């Protein structure tokens, strides 16, 4: 029976608990329920009253394809609201091997307490002095842990960004290639971990409890059908594996929706230089790899190994949003510089989306010139050094706006917007405005319907249909995140008549409980209700469900479309 | 007929307007009405859509005692809500001499536009290149303006804090002694002026329009009675003139309500070292002055000239709140260091209350040691230098908390709390929680009833009566601020049965319009309604009408009282 492990970071006590009221939940549904029930909504996110929850999905530990995503939940230092930050890596599938559904970090020690590494076994928790890795970037720190715990290391750790409690700091997780390259990127989860003075969490490599499906035959059949669904869709079987998510650069640029120079226009003249095609070509020329999975059991393989000019490993998990953030949004054309920034962000433990936007704000504020990749790299490198500019950068867009006197801040609920201009992709604009997460594309990815023509076709320039599609996607996404599935399964599920059934069948066969499309949707709705309830208690109102004014007052070239939804209209995208 | 002068800081156009719908208003009632009507509540405070309003009160330009206070209004970069920041100095009384009731700065130029000085005459506005004083501290910049415009200079200006748009930046005004020592201190009004690229505003020294009361005989009589009221109360005739506001140090410390070490206890062991008595003694020993007024016509004379050890002028307007903020709250015992910090804040154009609290946060975050005055001075001196730490400091408490990873942040609506612990002075706690201004003692100074026993006696440790007294004081204060009177007249008005009548008689005689206690209260109520309406549109809810959680969870020594009001209970302190 999976358990919840609660760890008091001040007293160093721990306890294993039965699931109790949390039984049946997983992933985001679990983290959001627990945070909503147990964290005072009005507490400071860095205070002892906040909690940090790590949970695999309902399918964690199974052999279901693409079911190894991790949810990290807490009150967000960035948004002040609830947060589920989703990551790949090996952590989620490993938890059930320790008979764990979730780990909860509670309380916090004094601010000057030394950082600790938590070594977690099936039977207990060891607090180990982390002075050997405190202050280090994640790659070298991860190397040290590999030396200590061996090649089967599964860890989550913060970088210098989290150590200094930067609101844009991440938690980095071990990927299948022994690198800390997967991020719970958004919302400053690293700062919460840093405030609790935990540098790293290591899951006992030796732990190996078996996950046995309740209905083995049905599970085997369902698992296979599910693989067929994923392999039957061109996006999940060809587009993503060949080019990674950066295949979107040219597509979104063509659609006039690639935010350029801090959301001034929708097309970047140098888009081709930073495109997925260019990246794939570069990777091949340098003997890198174009197809890697972020977790065991991934059959989509959208990740990659991007090597530098000397053919040495530089980065992976090099996503479209990262390429956009440092590229088009900052007018930086050099893909190697952008790849370097991706690596620096992983090393420092800071979110690439928030950082790309933050660098653009530094350019707005005249701190560095537009398009200057070398200067941008220098800025990112300041995080975790004695230079206080690094503290400004590590705190994200709104913070940098305050520091540099900039008022053009593309944020919703304090979190900066990703790589789709909401004026030209209104469905995702609705998601930005209304998801409890703050500006976030993954929470309801209407880019499918607005741009990719997956799961239907809805004009991204017009209002019609976009509130509804965002709402439906937000529900489905919350459920997918709760099952622990990779969001990209949605491409196939949306277009394949058998997709939802196949997905639900794996859950039912694994748990032995009824799980149909109805239970799937209810799981999503209930998760969103938890999140909305928390945010309401934290003081959010419908006034917060709106984009910054400049999206309304400035039309976006080349299609000259503006944001024209009112905050009232946005309420239709929220579950009741 | 007084007019409103509107100046477009981008196009450099200006126009003089009739009062129109703003007739009858003055001071805070005018600034808050105009901001509420004309500024989009959801705009960014540093955007072109925000406006910055300078208005004298209804009695500005008259000889009524203590009627020369200035209101500066805008959307606040610090709170995100409406702001009226109140200042002494010569500006308010000078405006009517140019036939002006108010000046409104609108729009803004590009961020890299050079700073300008506005020279304002009765007939127009001249934009003058400010490159000779841009980047300078206020005292030397003011000296330059004195050289250019002569001894009758009346100016308002920003320091380096405002130039870099720090959320805690002030606007400094010429005092009667040719110093830029009076501040519109709270809420970051300097940042709004900085975003509009205006370094200084100079009012034509030659302008000399006469203010003629509508009813000269009645005015003469009312004016005299009013002087008698002020001179008849021990606080306004003896306490304040002798020792300045710092007379409160020992009183509030004795009451166990002097916030010490970032609001951890209510008594400071070294209170005597920073007391009003000590300051007065030091001033006398160094041939300074204990009685100065902040504007012409002041008969309370709570200001002073504080000299350094060599007998040279160091600072003035050296208030209790400043002494507390750098003293007890940071555990700094050296009154000369505190005085130096007061001067630095005036030079840099940053708010002393926000800065004292910010220094305490830097101490919490381990940036400098507790009680280290020299290190605190060094931090303040970084504002406006190339050091990015200065940008962090200039943005106040919540910002520094973000930069330094500190969660113990004594702020309401983003503005830090002043020198009275709300757990032991609950009436002022209610004001902190509910005034549209954010954490602010001046908005409803229930210290009178809770500690000083002026205007009645209400136990500051208990809940009873404190919501009501705060509400009544908030209304009276808004009216006093609208008339342009110094808030300290309230001591006399509250205790003298003739006080309100005498005050109202001066207004009626000056304007020729009916003005009784009813009109006085209506002026306050309507002003608050404007402010609450703006804040509501800006997204504030009753969740924002609450103190940070640690005031509820931690009892304050020595009386071990905690904050026990709910946000719902707070609603009773707001006008309907």
């Amino acid at each position: 029976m999976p358990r919840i492990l609660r760890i008091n970071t001040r007293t160093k006590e721990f306890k294993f608990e039965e699931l109790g009221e949390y039984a049946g939940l997983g992933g985001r549904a679990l983290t959001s329920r627990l945070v909503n029930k147990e964290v005072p909504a009005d507490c400071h996110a860095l205070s002892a009253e906040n909690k940090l929850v790590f949970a695999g999905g309902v399918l964690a530990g199974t052999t279901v394809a693409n079911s190894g995503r991790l949810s990290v939940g807490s009150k967000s230092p960035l948004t002040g609201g609830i947060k589920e930050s989703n990551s790949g890596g090996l952590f989620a599938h490993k938890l059930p091997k320790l008979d764990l559904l979730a780990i909860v970090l509670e309380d916090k020690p004094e601010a000057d307490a030394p950082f600790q590494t938590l070594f977690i076994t099936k039977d207990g928790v060891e607090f180990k002095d982390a002075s050997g890795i405190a202050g280090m970037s994640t790659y070298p720190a991860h190397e040290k842990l590999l030396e200590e715990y061996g090649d089967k290391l599964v860890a989550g750790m913060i970088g210098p960004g989290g150590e200094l409690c930067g609101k844009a700091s991440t938690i980095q997780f071990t990927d299948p290639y022994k690198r800390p390259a997967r991020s719970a990127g958004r919302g400053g989860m690293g700062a919460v971990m840093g405030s609790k003075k935990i540098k790293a969490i290591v899951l006992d490599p030796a732990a190996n409890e078996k996950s046995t499906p309740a209905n083995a035959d049905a599970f085997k059949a369902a698992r296979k059908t599910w693989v067929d669904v994923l392999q039957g869709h061109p996006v999940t079987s060809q587009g993503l594996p060949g080019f990674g998510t950066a295949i979107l650069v040219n597509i979104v640029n063509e659609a006039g929706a690639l935010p350029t120079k801090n959301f001034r226009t929708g097309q970047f003249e140098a888009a081709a230089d930073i495109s997925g095609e260019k990246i794939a070509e570069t990777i091949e020329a340098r003997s890198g790899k174009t197809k890697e999975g972020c977790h065991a059991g991934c059959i989509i393989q959208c990740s990659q190994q991007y090597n530098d000019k000397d053919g040495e490993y530089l980065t992976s998990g090099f996503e479209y949003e990262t390429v956009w953030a440092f590229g088009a949004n900052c007018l930086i054309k050099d893909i190697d510089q952008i790849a370097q920034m991706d690596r620096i962000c992983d090393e420092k433990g800071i979110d690439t989306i928030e950082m790309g936007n933050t660098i653009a704000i530094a350019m707005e504020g005249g701190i560095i010139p537009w398009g200057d990749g070398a200067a941008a790299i220098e800025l990112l490198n300041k995080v975790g050094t004695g230079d206080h500019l690094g503290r400004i950068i590590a705190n994200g867009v709104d913070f940098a706006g305050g520091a540099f006197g900039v008022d053009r801040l593309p944020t919703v609920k304090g979190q900066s917007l990703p790589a789709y201009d909401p004026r030209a992709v209104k469905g995702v604009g609705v998601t930005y405005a209304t998801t409890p997460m703050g500006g976030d594309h993954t929470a309801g990815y209407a880019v499918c319907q607005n741009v990719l023509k997956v799961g239907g076709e809805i004009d991204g320039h017009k209002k019609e249909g976009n509130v509804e599609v965002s709402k439906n996607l937000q529900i489905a996404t919350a459920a997918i995140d709760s099952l622990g599935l990779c969001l990209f399964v949605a491409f196939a599920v949306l277009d394949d008549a058998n997709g939802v059934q196949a997905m639900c069948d794996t859950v039912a066969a694994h748990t032995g409980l009824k799980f149909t499309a109805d239970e799937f949707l209810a799981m999503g709705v209930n998760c969103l209700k938890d999140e909305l309830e928390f945010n309401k208690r934290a003081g959010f109102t419908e006034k917060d469900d709106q984009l910054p004014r400049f999206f309304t007052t400035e039309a976006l070239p080349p299609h000259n479309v503006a944001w024209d939804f009112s905050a009232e209209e946005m309420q239709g995208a929220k579950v009741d």
Side-chain angles (χ1 to χ4, degrees), chain A:
Chain A
M1 280 296 292
R3 304 160 297 170
I4 293 177
L5 170 58
R6 293 181 186 266
I7 304 171
N8 186 306
T9 58
R10 183 175 57 82
T11 64
K12 304 189 177 177
E13 294 164 322
F14 61 88
K15 55 182 171 183
F16 292 97
E17 284 184 357
E18 301 301 311
L19 300 186
E21 62 183 322
Y22 299 118
L25 302 175
R28 177 171 165 189
L30 174 61
T31 64
S32 290
R33 175 69 53 82
L34 194 147
V35 170
N36 186 33
K37 284 196 72 92
E38 301 187 14
V39 175
D42 60 344
C43 78
H44 192 290
L46 302 182
S47 72
E49 293 182 289
N50 200 7
K51 302 189 178 190
L52 184 65
V53 192
F54 302 78
V58 171
L59 293 170
T62 74
T63 55
V64 173
N66 290 77
S67 66
R69 298 286 298 187
L70 181 76
S71 290
V72 182
S74 195
K75 172 163 177 165
S76 165
L78 186 71
T79 69
I82 199 166
K83 172 60 64 177
E84 183 258 8
S85 196
N86 200 282
S87 179
L90 303 178
F91 209 87
H93 271 332
K94 186 73 183 178
L95 286 172
K97 296 192 188 301
L98 287 80
D99 256 353
L100 290 177
L101 178 64
I103 297 169
V104 187
L105 303 189
E106 304 186 339
D107 212 335
K108 73 170 198 181
E110 292 299 311
D112 57 358
F115 276 98
Q116 304 285 315
T117 294
L118 300 179
F119 180 63
I120 298 178
T121 69
K122 198 169 157 304
D123 304 312
V125 178
E126 199 180 334
F127 279 74
K128 305 177 85 162
D129 174 26
S131 57
I133 55 172
M136 285 175 80
S137 291
T138 61
Y139 273 70
H142 197 258
E143 278 298 321
K144 289 242 184 198
L145 293 180
L146 280 165
E147 285 166 24
E148 186 171 353
Y149 296 99
D151 269 4
K152 294 196 169 169
L153 176 74
V154 178
M157 65 187 341
I158 57 173
E163 290 187 39
L164 57 77
C165 294
K167 293 178 207 281
S169 59
T170 64
I171 302 174
Q172 300 290 126
F173 294 94
T174 310
D175 74 5
Y177 314 94
K178 305 185 187 62
R179 306 175 299 221
R182 307 309 307 188
S183 316
R186 308 225 69 192
M189 297 298 90
V192 180
M193 191 157 152
S195 74
K196 299 187 185 304
K197 307 302 279 187
I198 304 300
K199 172 70 176 176
I201 300 174
V202 176
L203 302 182
D204 182 9
N208 205 12
E209 291 294 311
K210 286 268 178 285
S211 161
T212 312
N215 186 336
D217 290 343
F219 181 79
K220 198 172 166 189
R223 185 186 169 284
K224 185 175 176 318
T225 309
W226 176 238
V227 169
D228 293 342
V229 166
L230 295 182
Q231 289 183 337
H233 195 278
V235 172
T236 43
S237 68
Q238 296 158 42
L240 287 171
F243 301 101
T245 53
I247 192 174
L248 286 166
V249 173
N250 280 334
I251 296 170
V252 179
N253 189 59
E254 188 64 29
L258 186 73
T260 301
K261 200 180 183 188
N262 194 22
F263 291 81
R264 276 190 177 74
T265 71
Q267 288 185 327
F268 180 39
E269 56 169 18
D273 295 340
I274 62 168
S275 64
E277 293 81 348
K278 167 80 177 188
I279 292 171
E281 182 190 308
T282 308
I283 288 173
E284 302 216 351
R286 295 175 184 173
S287 307
K289 279 181 66 185
T290 54
K291 294 179 195 173
E292 284 190 352
C294 77
H295 63 278
C298 166
I299 62 171
I300 298 178
Q301 305 274 305
C302 72
S303 196
Q304 69 291 97
Q305 176 180 330
Y306 185 98
N307 291 343
D308 64 18
K309 285 169 178 154
D310 301 324
E312 297 293 319
Y313 171 81
L314 179 55
T315 197
S316 64
F318 190 27
E319 308 294 351
Y320 162 65
E321 284 75 15
T322 304
V323 172
W324 158 77
F326 294 118
N329 202 45
C330 296
L331 304 186
I332 296 172
K333 302 172 186 180
D334 184 328
I335 192 65
D336 279 323
Q337 287 182 327
I338 297 170
Q340 210 178 325
M341 287 190 267
D342 185 51
R343 170 67 178 271
I344 294 169
C345 285
D346 286 351
E347 290 276 14
K348 300 285 188 183
I350 43 180
D351 175 32
T352 58
I353 296 175
E354 197 70 32
M355 284 304 104
N357 276 296
T358 302
I359 296 295
I361 299 309
M363 290 169 170
E364 289 278 1
I367 305 298
I368 62 172
W370 283 105
D372 189 335
I377 287 169
E378 202 179 321
L379 270 193
L380 292 177
N381 270 326
K382 289 190 186 295
V383 173
T385 67
D387 192 326
H388 290 278
L389 184 50
R391 291 182 184 266
I392 294 172
I393 299 299
N395 275 290
V397 167
D398 278 356
F399 200 86
F404 305 145
V406 174
D407 68 318
R408 186 187 183 81
L409 305 175
T411 58
V412 174
K413 300 183 179 72
Q415 183 168 286
S416 62
L417 302 187
Y420 313 88
D421 197 290
R423 290 164 289 194
V425 194
K426 288 201 161 64
V428 89
V430 175
T431 299
Y432 293 163
T434 58
T435 167
M437 296 298 127
D440 180 7
H441 59 299
T442 67
Y445 192 71
V447 179
C448 286
Q449 291 77 3
N450 285 173
V451 178
L452 305 176
K453 320 300 179 208
V454 169
E457 187 172 341
I458 296 167
D459 190 337
H461 294 184
K462 301 217 171 81
K463 293 164 81 169
E464 287 70 33
N466 279 310
V467 169
E468 296 74 14
V469 77
S470 171
K471 179 178 181 176
N472 292 334
L473 288 170
Q474 288 188 56
I475 294 169
T477 302
I480 287 173
D481 292 341
S482 303
L483 296 177
L485 290 169
C486 162
L487 185 56
F488 294 157
V489 306
F491 290 110
V493 169
L494 285 167
D495 268 354
D496 186 325
N498 300 319
V500 172
Q501 187 65 47
M503 177 177 61
C504 290
D505 286 348
T506 65
V507 180
H510 171 59
T511 63
L513 302 170
K514 184 181 175 213
F515 199 83
T516 69
D518 286 347
E519 280 75 28
F520 175 77
L521 292 176
M523 181 173 267
V525 167
N526 289 332
C527 176
L528 288 167
K529 280 184 178 173
D530 271 316
E531 295 168 354
L532 291 168
E533 185 180 297
F534 183 92
N535 280 2
K536 188 174 178 188
R537 285 191 291 116
F540 285 90
T541 70
E542 65 177 62
K543 303 272 185 200
D544 298 298
D545 299 326
Q546 184 54 293
L547 304 181
R549 274 179 70 86
F550 74 81
F551 289 107
T552 306
T553 56
E554 291 179 25
L556 177 77
H559 297 299
N560 298 317
V561 278
W563 180 251
D564 47 5
F565 282 107
S566 67
E568 290 72 33
E569 288 174 296
M570 289 295 85
Q571 301 315 303
K574 292 160 76 178
V575 300
D576 304 316

